[in-house]
Amino acid sequence: MNILLLGSGGRESALAWKISKSSRVCRLFIAPGNAGTALFGTNLGISANDFDAVGGAVLANGIDMVVVGPEEPLVGGIYDFFRQDRLLRDIPLIGPSRLGAQLEGSKDFAKSFMLRHGIPTARYMSVTRDNVDEGHLFLKTLHPPYVLKVDGLAAGKGVLIVDNFSDAVRELSAILDGRFGKSGETVVLEEFLSGVECSVFILTDGDTYKILPVAKDYKRIGEGDVGPNTGGMGSVSPVSFADSVFMEKVERRIIAPTVEGLRKENITYRGFIFFGLINTGGDPQLIEYNCRLGDPETESVVLRIESDLVDLLEGVAVGDRLSRELRISNDFSATVMLVSGGYPGSYEVGEAITGLDGVLDSTVFHAGTEVRGGGVVTSGGRVLAVSALGSSKESVLDRVYRDVGVIDFRGKYYRRDIGFDV
């Protein structure tokens, strides 16, 4: 079959790598892709958010399945766009409906969904300009630090953790005054939960599901988990505390009620769900949903999936997912992100990347790269995801960090402590 993968980041590079290994694939197209995805298929110069252009590419290239990587086109309703077009409606698209994507597109929608279906999560209140005084009172019922979440999409930068009440009030006002535009017209105030986080993913056809490898990502820019949040500085899989006892609780208390809740509410959902969890004394609580695979967790997770991913995706598309086998390696995988100097603040792009041909023991997934003048240059904050799989954590981290040292570009930065805390 011919497959179109939408997106341009490290997640899409990892998915393109995995999809390209399938014997079921004739041709793989990526839109818009990056310098790395071009190694596994054909990049198309169209935006994943330009639905008309995507539809045109599907028809022009005889596409048999569309896989949506990033959240923005899903929240924007690309699934609904396909279903409402007479020429596209029979083309399988892996991703939820616009309403299903609200699990990520609206923090308020997601929290209310959790409450409706008895899913354990932190206490919260949604605040707008109309009830900001009540929001201040709610903050007083919480113990610091205070968690403020922008309701809409904010490119991974919409969560603030504030240490004192006066700062929380000031940050709330700044968001409501337009810091994040329309995404911040509603702010979710949350109780802070203390514990260790992990990322759980499922692939679902809306009725049944399969649980993918569990991962842990590292959001803070600085070593020792300090500094501002980023889109992710690295990831590892598996996670030591996510044993069979913990995962039984996750499935029974969180995953199964989520899928059943979607079914009960007649929300069409055929794709990936990310569960951002926190382990509070051995009990999982749900922090957030994403309507797609996480990044950079995908880079570690796909390395551990031994099954043909296209076979699994086809099972979702045709509704016989349970008959498709999911085999997961017992090995350890790790990913270290190389980012541009200054990220997650301002940074330079167009920096020449050297050393890629010297990588020996890792797989390098491209995140923010492009080909320019015959060479590969940086084009984003997160640039490369250096990843490896092996029998032990120590050997994998040794390989990854050795290859990280081979690659270079001006301003290169990375965390040196990914994986050492698990």
Side-chain angles (χ1 to χ4, degrees), residues 58-363:
V58 166
L59 298 175
N61 294 287
I63 299 299
D64 301 296
M65 178 187 294
V66 178
V67 181
V68 185
E71 65 276 16
E72 195 170 349
L74 293 170
V75 173
I78 191 169
Y79 180 93
D80 308 77
F81 175 84
F82 268 61
R83 297 291 80 81
Q84 292 163 10
D85 187 296
R86 66 180 183 84
L87 298 178
L88 300 172
R89 62 171 61 118
D90 294 326
I91 305 296
L93 184 142
I94 305 301
S97 64
R98 183 197 299 267
L99 183 56
Q102 284 296 95
L103 287 181
E104 179 171 2
S106 169
K107 297 292 191 298
D108 177 60
F109 176 91
K111 293 292 283 191
S112 62
F113 179 91
M114 295 174 205
L115 288 187
R116 286 197 301 275
H117 299 287
I119 296 167
T121 189
R123 289 196 300 129
Y124 84 103
M125 179 180 179
S126 294
V127 178
T128 66
R129 286 178 177 273
D130 295 333
N131 67 340
V132 67
D133 290 338
E134 295 175 37
H136 295 162
L137 293 175
F138 178 76
L139 284 172
K140 289 182 177 180
T141 71
L142 305 177
H143 298 290
Y146 305 92
V147 181
L148 290 74
K149 295 182 177 180
V150 173
D151 178 57
L153 298 180
K157 300 178 177 65
V159 178
L160 286 72
I161 300 176
V162 185
D163 289 329
N164 63 73
F165 178 80
S166 59
D167 285 347
V169 170
R170 183 169 62 252
E171 293 289 357
L172 175 60
S173 295
I175 297 171
L176 293 175
D177 285 342
R179 178 188 293 175
F180 294 93
K182 287 187 174 298
S183 291
E185 290 180 352
T186 298
V187 181
V188 172
L189 307 178
E190 257 190 16
E191 170 190 21
F192 179 82
L193 298 177
S194 181
V196 183
E197 296 181 25
C198 69
S199 302
V200 172
F201 306 93
I202 67 169
L203 180 59
T204 180
D205 58 10
D207 291 311
T208 61
Y209 57 86
K210 285 191 182 292
I211 303 174
L212 304 180
V214 181
K216 171 179 167 56
D217 75 330
Y218 297 78
K219 288 295 187 189
R220 301 279 186 148
I221 187 67
E223 292 165 15
D225 281 329
V226 299
N229 277 334
T230 71
M233 294 298 294
S235 62
V236 296
S237 179
V239 180
S240 56
F241 68 77
D243 56 17
S244 59
V245 174
F246 181 80
M247 288 305 297
E248 187 278 330
K249 294 177 182 178
V250 170
E251 183 170 12
R252 176 167 48 86
R253 301 176 185 179
I254 297 174
I255 295 175
T258 294
V259 175
E260 178 65 10
L262 292 169
R263 190 189 63 78
K264 286 182 176 178
E265 297 190 19
N266 295 314
I267 297 174
T268 301
Y269 206 112
R270 296 187 179 94
F272 298 100
I273 304 179
F274 159 94
F275 301 84
L277 304 179
I278 188 164
N279 180 0
T280 56
D283 290 320
Q285 295 204 58
L286 183 58
I287 300 173
E288 64 175 351
Y289 292 111
N290 285 170
C291 60
R292 35 75 190 185
L293 288 173
D295 189 355
E297 297 100 319
T298 302
E299 289 89 314
S300 292
V301 166
V302 298
L303 292 177
R304 296 189 58 217
I305 297 176
E306 296 178 338
S307 305
D308 184 328
L309 180 60
V310 174
D311 181 63
L312 293 169
L313 296 176
E314 189 178 34
V316 168
V318 302
D320 67 348
R321 188 209 49 75
L322 279 181
S323 69
R324 314 294 175 116
E325 183 182 12
L326 172 60
R327 299 186 310 279
I328 297 174
S329 168
N330 291 322
D331 284 350
F332 183 89
S333 60
T335 293
V336 174
M337 295 295 308
L338 306 186
V339 305
S340 299
Y343 174 80
S346 60
Y347 53 84
E348 299 294 327
V349 297
E351 304 293 347
I353 301 172
T354 61
L356 289 172
D357 55 354
V359 173
L360 298 176
D361 298 314
S362 306
T363 302

